[in-house]
């Protein structure tokens, strides 16, 4: 089903609306997203990452399509119970269509970027095997 969508990921019913939001998100990244993007865009692994990429009816913070890996950076509101339920359901949906979702808090990106990058690398390598 998703193979029929633009970039083989976007749901055409949501694409027009989400495209606008994705552009706004790119133009107004959080500090944590901006920091991580600077490492992902020029990564030494030779992998292509996209930011604010539409997949299904969602916008992924970062995605490596080849490795079917989505990276989400969670701000403080993700600790609220209602948002945790939404995040859980979103992750289930994305994993159902074959993507692996890994999440990091803003604090983790700022305080321990090397381990965040190691974890991303390990997930990507595992997915490519």
């Amino acid at each position: 089903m998703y193979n029929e969508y633009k970039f083989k990921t976007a749901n055409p019913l949501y694409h027009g609306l989400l495209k606008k939001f994705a552009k706004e998100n790119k133009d107004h990244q959080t500090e944590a997203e901006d920091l991580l993007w600077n490492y992902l865009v020029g990564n030494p692994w030779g992998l292509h990452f996209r930011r604010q990429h539409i997949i299904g009816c969602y916008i992924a913070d970062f995605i490596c399509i080849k490795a079917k890996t989505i990276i989400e950076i969670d701000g403080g509101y993700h600790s609220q119970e209602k948002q945790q339920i939404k995040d859980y359901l979103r992750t289930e949906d994305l994993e159902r269509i074959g993507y692996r979702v890994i999440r990091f808090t803003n604090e983790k990106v700022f305080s321990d970027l090397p381990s965040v990058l190691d974890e991303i690398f390990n997930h990507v390598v595992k997915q490519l095997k």
Side-chain angles (χ1 to χ4, degrees):
M1 178 167 146
Y2 281 85
N3 290 336
E4 300 169 14
Y5 302 156
K6 187 174 182 177
F7 298 117
K8 299 183 180 176
T9 61
N11 182 321
L13 298 175
Y14 298 96
H15 186 264
L17 178 63
L18 292 177
K19 185 175 180 180
K20 177 184 171 194
F21 291 140
K23 181 176 179 349
E24 289 175 12
N25 290 349
K26 279 183 187 176
D27 292 343
H28 300 95
Q29 288 188 133
T30 67
E31 288 182 51
E33 289 170 344
D34 192 45
L35 177 62
L36 185 56
W37 177 244
N38 287 327
Y39 284 88
L40 293 178
V41 73
N43 71 79
W45 317 311
L47 294 167
H48 179 73
F49 286 87
R50 296 174 185 263
R51 63 187 169 132
Q52 302 303 324
H53 182 77
I54 301 167
I55 177 163
C57 57
Y58 304 107
I59 301 172
D61 289 339
F62 305 103
I63 187 170
C64 179
I65 293 173
K66 183 176 180 180
K68 298 194 86 139
T69 299
I70 294 170
I71 303 160
E72 294 290 327
I73 308 301
D74 295 341
Y77 74 95
H78 287 270
S79 64
Q80 297 172 0
E81 185 178 354
K82 187 175 180 180
Q83 187 60 44
Q84 287 178 345
I85 293 167
K86 287 180 181 180
D87 289 343
Y88 175 81
L89 295 172
R90 173 187 169 113
T91 297
E92 271 193 339
D93 283 349
L94 294 168
E95 289 183 347
R96 189 176 308 113
I97 60 171
Y99 284 84
R100 170 77 177 160
V101 179
I102 53 177
R103 294 182 170 279
F104 302 98
T105 63
N106 286 344
E107 293 78 19
K108 181 74 169 182
V109 172
F110 289 129
S111 68
D112 197 4
L113 185 59
S115 73
V116 167
L117 294 170
D118 284 346
E119 190 171 336
I120 292 169
F121 175 75
N122 289 332
H123 280 281
V124 167
V125 167
K126 183 189 283 186
Q127 290 295 101
L128 290 174
K129 287 185 176 181

